[in-house]
Amino acid sequence: MSYIASDVVISEEEIRAILPDQYDTQVGKIINSIDDLCRTWIERSPFIVMSTVDKGGKIDTSPKGDPAGFVEVIDSQTLAIPDRPGNNRFDSFLNIIATGRIGLVFFVPNRSEVVRISGTEQVVRDFDCVTRWQLTLGCLILQFW
């Protein structure tokens, strides 16, 4: 027998009535560019979780890791993420080609905080990124919304 919920929360008003108010520090940390603190965090991160979405709305989440600094901050609005061999399903690439939507979470060992970034992305085969990282396919270029 499948579980059937009896008290489903369906509105923001219900959530706000149940949970405490937002912390000003958490609301204030939402920014629309990579500042020095975020740049440092990204450069120290050896592991990210990448989420993409296909045309039907199905979300795919993939772990990505390499030595710290593997994600390159190109400028305050742009990141480059090298492609590495994986399961050869290319779900993230196909989703990016289909919708361009992406979310990233950057982790740093022994820290409880994370940096989250959302934006639009492209799969590119630019000579510079393919040569620098010795890639087969290319890299992902993320730009902020």
Side-chain angles (χ1 to χ4, degrees):
M1 176 180 229
S2 297
Y3 172 79
I4 299 174
S6 62
D7 188 9
V8 179
V9 177
I10 60 170
S11 71
E12 181 178 347
E13 291 78 20
E14 289 179 273
I15 291 173
R16 299 287 176 210
I18 297 167
L19 300 174
D21 289 334
Q22 299 178 52
Y23 299 111
D24 290 339
T25 55
Q26 299 304 305
V27 174
K29 74 179 186 178
I30 299 172
I31 57 178
N32 61 3
S33 64
I34 301 170
D35 62 11
D36 290 338
L37 185 60
C38 289
R39 174 184 288 269
T40 300
W41 191 272
I42 292 166
E43 290 171 348
R44 292 181 180 172
S45 176
F47 179 74
I48 65 173
V49 174
M50 174 188 300
S51 295
T52 58
V53 62
D54 69 15
K55 283 185 180 180
K58 180 181 171 198
I59 298 170
D60 178 70
T61 302
S62 300
K64 305 285 182 189
D66 232 335
F70 78 100
V71 175
E72 182 178 336
V73 178
I74 295 175
D75 59 41
S76 67
Q77 297 293 132
T78 312
L79 299 174
I81 306 167
D83 174 49
R84 296 292 186 220
N87 61 15
N88 286 342
R89 287 177 40 120
F90 307 111
D91 296 322
S92 297
F93 281 162
L94 296 174
N95 291 346
I96 290 163
I97 290 168
T99 68
R101 297 173 60 198
I102 188 165
L104 302 171
V105 180
F106 289 84
F107 296 88
V108 172
N110 302 314
R111 298 298 304 261
S112 58
E113 301 89 358
V114 296
V115 166
R116 294 177 289 188
I117 294 179
S118 297
T120 58
E121 189 142 33
Q122 298 175 308
V123 178
V124 301
R125 292 182 289 185
D126 295 344
F127 178 78
D128 185 48
C129 81
V130 172
T131 302
R132 179 172 359 149
W133 288 313
Q134 299 176 345
L135 305 174
T136 303
L137 178 59
C139 62
L140 306 174
I141 300 294
L142 180 140
Q143 298 205 298
F144 293 95
W145 288 340

